[in-house]
Amino acid sequence: MTTVEFSEEIKVQVTPKRMFKALVTDAHNILPKIIPHIFKSIDILEGEGGVTGCVRQINFPHGAPFSHMKDKLELVDAENLVVKFVLFEGPGLGEKMESLHSEQRFVDSGDGGCIIKWKNHHHLKAGHTHISEEEFKAGKEHGITFVTATEAYLVAHPDVCA
């Protein structure tokens, strides 16, 4: 199996703890409420929401590029603001990917905001050896879209995830 790595950083104007809570520990409650045009619902299938071992089904609204995905939170470290998860099922993986393993770190930027650093490891199905630039770009744009939408909401509503 071939693995392709991708790294990205995005700076936001929200503290690391608030972003971590919105995107990780309380995502199943928060994201569908604050950005319903991106997340229809996040259902907990196994375990407790926002903790290590939790299995979720992320449902997207009608008209989205795909209907759902399933992931498992492999590590949720609320003290160091690190999450590791694996997307293991759903049409969002496409024809090439077996799974997507991701690690995100929420680092204080020193100016009241944070830098989200993420590394993705795309585990490709047998017979596939690369991911095109267009496929990387689409995945990156999706991630940036929901992070910036979350940031905008949290900036406008300083009491949410406080």
Side-chain angles (χ1 to χ4, degrees):
M1 176 185 316
T2 302
T3 301
V4 178
E5 186 176 312
F6 167 76
S7 298
E8 184 66 39
E9 292 185 6
I10 183 170
K11 185 177 183 319
V12 296
Q13 300 175 0
V14 176
T15 65
K17 287 185 179 184
R18 283 185 73 208
M19 284 302 287
F20 189 81
K21 184 174 183 179
L23 295 177
V24 180
T25 59
D26 206 22
H28 57 287
N29 293 317
I30 296 291
L31 294 179
K33 290 178 185 173
I34 68 174
I35 48 177
H37 61 286
I38 297 174
F39 297 100
K40 180 179 177 183
S41 65
I42 300 175
D43 301 325
I44 306 304
L45 303 178
E46 292 178 27
E48 294 182 36
V51 300
T52 300
C54 175
V55 176
R56 310 176 295 183
Q57 178 168 308
I58 302 157
N59 301 299
F60 300 98
H62 181 71
F66 31 86
S67 59
H68 73 283
M69 293 175 56
K70 289 183 182 176
D71 73 2
K72 180 175 184 176
L73 299 175
E74 295 183 318
L75 171 73
V76 177
D77 182 345
E79 184 177 326
N80 294 304
L81 305 176
V82 176
V83 62
K84 293 181 182 182
F85 62 91
V86 60
L87 295 173
F88 64 90
E89 185 181 308
L93 291 172
E95 296 177 12
K96 292 181 181 180
M97 268 195 293
E98 184 74 34
S99 61
L100 171 69
H101 297 253
S102 186
E103 177 181 331
Q104 297 173 353
R105 296 181 176 276
F106 296 72
V107 179
D108 191 327
S109 62
D111 60 2
C114 75
I115 300 168
I116 303 170
K117 300 179 178 188
W118 74 78
K119 289 183 184 177
N120 289 338
H121 297 270
H122 303 259
H123 293 253
L124 304 182
K125 293 178 181 176
H128 296 281
T129 59
H130 74 283
I131 296 176
S132 72
E133 190 65 35
E134 294 80 27
E135 291 167 307
F136 269 126
K137 186 177 177 182
K140 176 181 172 181
E141 287 176 3
H142 176 73
I144 289 172
T145 297
F146 83 80
V147 167
T148 56
T150 303
E151 172 192 25
Y153 188 90
L154 294 177
V155 166
H157 300 88
D159 57 315
V160 175
C161 295

